Amino acid sequence: MKLCLIFLMAIAPLLSSAAESREYVILLHGLCRSGRSMIRMGQSLTQAGYQVLNMEYPSRSATIDKLSDDAIGRAVADCEKQGAVKINFVTHSMGGILVRSYLSRHTIPNLGRVVMLGPPNQGSEVVDRIGSTWWFRLINGPAGNELGTGPDSVPNKLGPANFCAGIIAGDRSINWINSWLFIKGPNDGKLSVEKTKLAGMTDHIVIHSTHPLLMRNRTVIKQTVHFLKTGSFEKGQKAVVT
């Protein structure tokens, strides 16, 4: 009996580690980006004990609904095939709208938490102003034009969050033209802090970072891990600009 007890105590950490390793995080990059932009985030999540699936998808090739069905449907199937006990998401920009689109039409029984970095949850003011130009449509494809702030835009038709959502907004801009001409209030150069908010969200925090670099910011990464583990952000933490 004593020998059995010692054996169980010895393997308990291994069993715990094995169970933790079956908790997955799906990473989804933003519009006109690639999985390379999420590499640093993925490495940090792996170090935190998660299995990470960094999804590549052709963000300029189709509508938001089509992109979400193709990319997320494939990712979820891969996670389930590998025995995932929980599936979380970490998204940048439009990647968050893909998750909202997918979850409005599909159920993931073992869904965990979702962290959105700079998501246009109420659309982007920049799309309102220049989305109708030929060069914007050429660069951003069908999905780009769906991200306006009007009531008929995709983000505003998806409804409130029906999942555990933590949102990180940036308030540092290096795109002064957008910030000066198109966006009111604190913003990250692509959209205002206010437009990142979502009805039904679990938590929201603002970090002093630009939109393109949110996923590489050390404070953002630390807050992302904290939310995935606890369901809330760590308030009062000093931001590190990277």
Side-chain angles (χ1 to χ4, degrees):
M1 175 65 75
K2 190 174 180 180
L3 219 70
C4 287
L5 187 59
I6 292 171
F7 175 72
L8 286 171
M9 288 173 67
I11 68 168
L14 298 176
L15 293 173
S16 173
S17 176
E20 186 179 26
S21 72
R22 293 199 301 273
E23 185 166 349
Y24 279 69
V25 180
I26 297 172
L27 303 181
L28 288 167
H29 61 80
L31 183 62
C32 298
R33 304 297 291 269
S34 73
R36 288 193 301 274
S37 65
M38 304 294 282
I39 287 176
R40 182 186 286 186
M41 176 66 76
Q43 290 171 338
S44 298
L45 290 170
T46 299
Q47 291 169 4
Y50 296 97
Q51 293 286 344
V52 175
L53 196 58
N54 189 358
M55 290 301 296
E56 289 276 2
Y57 68 95
S59 62
R60 301 166 59 239
S61 67
T63 63
I64 288 170
D65 284 355
K66 174 97 167 69
L67 291 171
S68 68
D69 281 350
D70 291 349
I72 298 177
R74 182 160 38 99
V76 169
D78 285 348
C79 290
E80 290 175 341
K81 197 178 298 181
Q82 294 176 55
V85 296
K86 188 182 290 185
I87 299 174
N88 307 283
F89 289 89
V90 174
T91 68
H92 177 236
S93 196
M94 189 181 76
I97 309 307
L98 263 62
V99 170
R100 288 180 60 201
S101 170
Y102 188 87
L103 293 178
S104 73
R105 294 173 289 109
H106 305 278
T107 300
I108 302 176
N110 52 347
L111 178 65
R113 295 172 175 136
V114 179
V115 179
M116 302 178 177
L117 314 178
N121 277 323
Q122 299 175 48
S124 167
E125 302 92 334
V126 176
V127 177
D128 291 345
R129 298 295 293 272
I130 62 176
S132 60
T133 61
W134 66 269
W135 52 269
F136 181 93
R137 294 196 301 270
L138 179 67
I139 294 170
N140 295 285
N145 264 328
E146 295 181 310
L147 295 173
T149 66
D152 292 328
S153 72
V154 169
N156 285 317
K157 289 195 297 185
L158 289 173
N162 58 354
F163 50 90
C164 181
I167 298 169
I168 301 178
D171 67 353
R172 179 174 178 241
S173 174
I174 54 173
N175 194 326
W176 301 289
I177 294 175
N178 283 352
S179 297
W180 181 46
L181 293 178
F182 307 142
I183 310 172
K184 294 180 180 178
N187 67 89
D188 63 6
K190 293 291 186 181
L191 70 158
S192 65
V193 168
E194 192 61 31
K195 296 299 183 187
T196 65
K197 295 176 181 178
L198 175 62
M201 63 187 176
T202 307
D203 205 352
H204 185 279
I205 194 170
V206 180
I207 299 295
H208 192 53
S209 174
T210 66
H211 188 88
L213 297 179
L214 272 166
M215 76 295 281
R216 295 177 58 83
N217 182 286
R218 281 176 288 167
T219 305
V220 170
I221 291 172
K222 187 175 180 181
Q223 291 281 11
T224 297
V225 173
H226 193 275
F227 186 89
L228 290 176
K229 290 191 178 295
T230 68
S232 65
F233 293 120
E234 188 178 1
K235 300 303 192 296
Q237 188 182 96
K238 188 176 179 182
V240 177
V241 179
T242 54

